[in-house]
């Protein structure tokens, strides 16, 4: 039987990525990207609502070309909004769509690895706070994954950096995270007990990301071209 593995998932505003990690016989930690897309490890964070079910990622994008009214994008930015998202004849809360993407990634990992992960971690923006984080945690739990660990994206980045470039006790690390939907920045410090913890309060802009710049460029192009 294959060695147990752990699964990490990042559902971004624009793209979704995942990785697996397992212990090697010599005790080293072996991490590898989990291929989700056709031409890249990551895949678009999109959901297509068909009459027969849901499609995710590249498959959703392909179907959405012909039926864009059934394709849902950037729902991560809506988490915490009580207004449902309507696609086709179905209604979804943003956090349920987020959880469905997580469930799809877990299913992809199980199919590829031949077994369920021994543990699952999901990263979220540090500016979400406890309310939106709990909404996501509850939505994932309703799909049957109640033991998922939720970690902030800057903290995950800092832990990865520290695992490959160990910090001396007392040294600080700045994380600058400009994603598709949010901008977060945080300072973390290596503590005497070996943990890497936040210093002060994380700050950021919850509604500024690459998607906003894409929108500005598109609007400028349409305006400059005189297209209605």
């Amino acid at each position: 039987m294959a060695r147990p593995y752990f699964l990490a998932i990042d559902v971004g505003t624009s793209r979704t990525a995942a990785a697996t990690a397992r212990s090697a016989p010599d005790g080293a930690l072996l991490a590898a990207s989990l291929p989700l897309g056709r031409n890249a490890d990551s895949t678009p964070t999109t959901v297509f609502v068909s009459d027969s079910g849901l499609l995710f990622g590249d498959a959703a994008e392909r179907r959405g070309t012909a039926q864009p009214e059934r394709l849902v994008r950037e729902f991560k930015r809506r988490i915490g909004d009580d207004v449902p998202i309507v696609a086709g004849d179905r209604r979804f809360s943003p956090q349920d769509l987020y959880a469905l993407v997580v469930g799809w990634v877990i299913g992809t990992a199980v199919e590829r690895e031949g077994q369920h992960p021994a543990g699952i971690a999901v990263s979220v923006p540090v500016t979400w706070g406890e309310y939106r984080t709990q909404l996501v945690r509850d939505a994932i739990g309703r799909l049957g994954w109640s033991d998922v660990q939720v970690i902030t994206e800057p903290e995950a980045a800092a832990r990865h950096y520290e695992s490959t470039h160990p910090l001396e006790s007392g040294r600080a690390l700045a994380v600058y995270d400009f994603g598709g939907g949010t901008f977060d920045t945080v300072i973390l410090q290596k503590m005497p007990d070996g943990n890497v913890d936040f210093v002060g309060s994380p700050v950021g802009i919850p509604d500024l990301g690459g998607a906003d710049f894409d929108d500005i460029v598109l609007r400028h192009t349409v305006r400059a071209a005189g297209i209605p």
Side-chain angles (χ1 to χ4, degrees):
M1 184 175 178
R3 292 191 303 275
Y5 71 98
F6 295 85
L7 177 65
I9 304 170
D10 178 57
V11 180
T13 300
S14 302
R15 300 190 68 83
T16 294
T20 60
R22 50 171 44 93
S23 297
D26 62 358
L29 186 66
L30 302 177
S33 297
L34 177 71
L36 296 175
R38 296 182 64 188
N39 301 312
D41 289 334
S42 64
T43 194
T45 303
T46 52
V47 179
F48 182 84
V49 183
S50 71
D51 293 333
S52 58
L54 302 177
L55 297 175
F56 303 90
D58 288 335
E61 288 284 321
R62 291 194 296 272
R63 288 290 299 275
T65 302
Q67 295 176 285
E69 73 281 359
R70 289 177 172 264
L71 187 67
V72 186
R73 292 190 176 97
E74 298 184 20
F75 50 83
K76 181 179 177 180
R77 309 184 84 173
R78 294 272 307 275
I79 289 176
D81 187 346
D82 293 333
V83 179
I85 295 173
V86 180
D89 59 352
R90 298 182 62 179
R91 293 171 175 263
F92 302 89
S93 71
Q95 53 268 22
D96 283 341
L97 286 172
Y98 184 103
L100 286 165
V101 172
V102 170
W104 170 71
V105 174
I106 295 173
T108 301
V110 171
E111 181 178 358
R112 179 180 174 84
E113 299 289 340
Q115 60 180 330
H116 287 274
I120 302 169
V122 174
S123 58
V124 300
V126 71
T127 53
W128 268 11
E130 183 57 32
Y131 174 66
R132 284 194 285 182
T133 299
Q134 190 61 48
L135 286 176
V136 163
R137 188 180 288 113
D138 291 344
I140 295 173
R142 286 194 291 273
L143 294 182
W145 305 99
S146 58
D147 57 347
V148 172
Q149 179 185 3
V150 178
I151 184 173
T152 66
E153 292 162 357
E155 188 178 2
R159 287 187 180 185
H160 171 69
Y161 181 88
E162 209 275 332
S163 69
T164 56
H165 300 78
L167 299 172
E168 296 179 2
S169 180
R171 289 296 300 274
L173 182 67
V175 178
Y176 174 106
D177 182 9
F178 187 81
T182 60
F183 165 64
D184 301 328
T185 183
V186 65
I187 303 295
L188 300 105
Q189 187 176 38
K190 183 70 169 289
M191 300 300 177
D193 61 3
N195 291 324
V196 179
D197 294 330
F198 293 115
V199 177
S201 299
V203 295
I205 304 174
D207 298 311
L208 177 67
D212 298 290
F213 286 86
D214 290 345
D215 184 61
I216 291 170
V217 171
L218 177 61
R219 289 175 183 273
H220 172 75
T221 303
V222 170
R223 189 166 54 249
I227 302 173

